[in-house]
């Protein structure tokens, strides 16, 4: 039989009301290639349209900052906080839709992990605790993270309002939904994480309190955009600055988090591995996996992430019921036409980190392809 007849990732997918041509998703990847004021460029439109042209059913954008206060994480990161931003993203969504794919805007507040924000010189997070590790040079940073200010109730309200306003802008721009970024060590994940959240109010302490802000964001966005539009959530245990972290309560914490977000009105859950293999971060005791537990606990569609460019791994994850869709990051950078290659039975090539060096920009990726003799 052909790969299309046998590989479950090539079957049609569904995320809430959104139907996709297949179950292959482009994962969000920071590219720091927007204009200095956060406006998406024509080069970015070409970049995202390339994945749609290559056959991906769903494209999730890089993290887009949500307010003109504390949310921006990197210089040349795109935003969705102005009419100019919204108009530019409208050109991107139109290009992606031309090739029949759906596109979701990932909405991101960097919190304490901000290393380039023209709007502010300081950072803010759940508690005044310096993040672990150091800033990331591939995104233009260097040196240790500063200690953030502890967010006041007014700061928290402002952050929630930013998510809501940018979601409304995303719908105006023609996106098919948004993904609330609550993973990888950024603001909402900082509230979820026990060692970065030492608050003594209703946002701190047990996991039911630490997930409160993420749930409030989902509920507020859902109320603003209505019931018929996608509002996903990306979650992870690991972080860009801490690959070893795991939810201290294991499956119990996961169940509390998943249930709270489903009750708040999420459309889907996207469980990320931050560059690790899916099994490294998803496996639980008793044969359970975080993604399978997410499906069972929330009743929502689940996207699995982590090495899903491997045809055998992605087939196992889907066929065994661990997830409903799979997202691909670096494998999609190497092969924007990965769905076509999978249908033809062609194995993916190995990712070369030089594609993201010295910075993870589209310009550097183009130079790498030129040097490698690959097509742009």
């Amino acid at each position: 039989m052909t790969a299309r007849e046998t590989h479950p990732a090539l079957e049609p997918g569904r995320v809430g009301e959104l139907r996709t041509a297949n179950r292959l998703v482009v994962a969000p990847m920071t590219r720091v290639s927007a204009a200095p004021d956060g406006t998406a460029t024509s080069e970015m439109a070409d970049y995202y349209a390339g994945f749609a042209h290559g056959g991906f059913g769903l494209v999730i954008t890089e993290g887009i900052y949500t307010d003109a206060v504390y949310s921006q994480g990197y210089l040349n990161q795109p935003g969705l906080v102005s009419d100019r931003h919204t108009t530019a993203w409208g050109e991107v969504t139109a290009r992606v839709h031309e090739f029949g794919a759906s596109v979701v805007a990932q909405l991101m507040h960097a919190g304490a992990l901000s290393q380039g924000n023209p709007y502010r010189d300081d950072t803010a997070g759940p508690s005044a605790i310096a993040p672990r590790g150091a800033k990331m040079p591939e995104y233009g940073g260097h040196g240790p993270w500063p200690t953030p200010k502890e967010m006041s109730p007014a700061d928290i309200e402002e952050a929630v309002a930013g998510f809501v306003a940018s979601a409304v802008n995303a719908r105006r721009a023609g996106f098919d939904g948004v993904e609330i970024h609550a993973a990888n060590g950024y603001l909402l994940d900082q509230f979820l994480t026990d060692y970065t959240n030492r608050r003594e109010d209703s946002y701190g302490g047990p996991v039911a309190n630490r997930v409160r802000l993420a749930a409030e964001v989902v509920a507020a966005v859902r109320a603003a955009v209505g019931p018929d539009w996608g509002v996903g959530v990306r979650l992870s245990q690991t972080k860009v600055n801490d690959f070893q972290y795991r939810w201290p309560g294991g499956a119990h914490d996961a169940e509390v988090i998943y249930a709270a977000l489903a009750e708040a009105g999420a459309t889907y859950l996207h469980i990320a591995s931050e560059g690790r293999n899916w099994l490294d971060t998803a496996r639980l005791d008793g044969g359970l996996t975080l993604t399978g537990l997410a499906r069972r606990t929330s009743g929502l569609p689940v996207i699995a992430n982590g090495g899903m460019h491997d045809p055998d791994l992605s087939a196992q994850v889907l066929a065994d019921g661990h997830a409903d869709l799979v997202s691909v990051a670096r494998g999609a950078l190497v092969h924007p036409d990965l769905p076509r290659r999978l249908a033809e039975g062609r194995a993916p090539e190995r990712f070369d980190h030089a594609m993201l060096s010295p910075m993870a920009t589209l310009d550097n990726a183009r130079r790498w392809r030129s040097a490698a003799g690959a097509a742009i």
Side-chain angles (χ1 to χ4, degrees):
M1 291 189 292
T2 67
R4 181 171 297 277
E5 293 172 319
T6 59
H7 202 290
L10 296 169
E11 298 172 358
R14 182 170 181 173
V15 184
E17 299 300 315
L18 187 63
R19 297 179 183 273
T20 59
N22 53 50
R23 296 198 270 174
L24 289 161
V25 180
V26 177
M29 293 175 279
T30 299
R31 302 316 305 269
V32 289
S33 297
D37 70 348
T39 302
T41 65
S42 59
E43 182 180 41
M44 291 169 61
D46 291 340
Y47 165 73
Y48 285 114
F51 295 121
H53 184 256
F56 280 94
L58 175 61
V59 178
I60 304 174
T61 72
E62 62 205 281
I64 302 170
Y65 69 83
T66 54
D67 61 51
V69 192
Y70 287 110
S71 70
Q72 186 168 348
Y74 313 108
L75 298 178
N76 298 105
Q77 179 185 4
L80 252 173
V81 303
S82 69
D83 289 341
R84 180 178 172 86
H85 291 164
T86 304
T87 298
W89 278 114
E91 297 173 7
V92 177
T93 61
R95 291 286 309 282
V96 173
H97 288 151
E98 283 178 11
F99 295 105
S102 299
V103 57
V104 164
Q106 189 190 70
L107 303 182
M108 168 185 159
H109 191 306
L113 294 191
S114 176
Q115 60 182 43
N117 182 0
Y119 300 106
R120 305 285 303 198
D121 293 326
D122 57 342
T123 61
S127 301
I129 297 172
R132 295 178 179 177
K135 296 178 182 179
M136 296 168 283
E138 61 265 39
Y139 304 132
H142 65 276
W145 303 98
T147 299
K149 63 167 280 189
E150 180 172 311
M151 295 176 73
S152 68
D155 292 327
I156 291 173
E157 290 180 6
E158 189 171 50
V160 174
F163 276 103
V164 171
S166 58
V168 171
N169 285 341
R171 187 155 197 179
R172 288 173 51 212
F175 282 102
D176 300 295
V178 292
E179 179 175 279
I180 307 301
H181 198 349
N184 306 124
Y186 298 108
L187 180 71
L188 300 184
D189 186 41
Q190 290 159 28
F191 272 82
L192 270 172
T193 300
D194 57 353
Y195 70 79
T196 54
N197 182 351
R198 300 293 176 83
R199 300 178 72 94
E200 297 181 354
D201 59 9
S202 61
Y203 293 100
V207 66
N209 286 0
R210 288 184 276 116
V211 74
R212 185 185 306 276
L213 180 55
E216 287 181 353
V217 168
V218 172
V221 169
R222 171 60 69 209
V225 301
D228 61 342
W229 200 62
V231 182
V233 185
R234 182 168 163 104
L235 297 160
S236 71
Q237 299 189 98
T238 53
K239 312 172 191 311
V240 294
N241 63 322
D242 183 356
F243 294 150
Q244 305 306 315
Y245 184 77
R246 300 293 185 270
W247 292 331
H252 169 265
D253 283 8
E255 289 178 327
V256 171
I257 293 166
Y258 299 153
L261 297 173
E263 184 178 356
T267 303
Y268 70 84
L269 301 178
H270 185 180
I271 313 301
S273 294
E274 187 47 55
R276 316 267 82 74
N277 182 280
W278 169 76
L279 278 176
D280 292 344
T281 56
R283 190 178 320 191
L284 297 168
D285 293 338
L288 288 174
T289 62
L290 283 176
T291 52
L293 186 61
R295 293 183 81 207
R296 187 180 75 186
T297 302
S298 69
L300 300 174
V302 171
I303 303 174
N305 170 260
M308 295 300 156
H309 60 279
D310 181 332
D312 294 333
L313 179 60
S314 58
Q316 173 196 346
V317 167
L318 293 172
D320 291 351
H322 296 287
D324 300 276
L325 300 93
V326 294
S327 72
V328 183
R330 293 178 175 181
L333 293 183
V334 177
H335 298 300
D337 63 344
L338 186 67
R340 294 180 184 171
R341 295 180 65 94
L342 184 60
E344 296 167 1
R346 291 188 288 159
E349 297 173 12
R350 187 178 181 84
F351 173 77
D352 181 359
H353 194 271
M355 182 182 285
L356 304 180
S357 298
M359 287 185 64
T361 62
L362 297 179
D363 186 53
N364 284 337
R366 190 188 313 107
R367 293 180 195 171
W368 177 88
R369 289 187 181 280
S370 177
I376 296 177

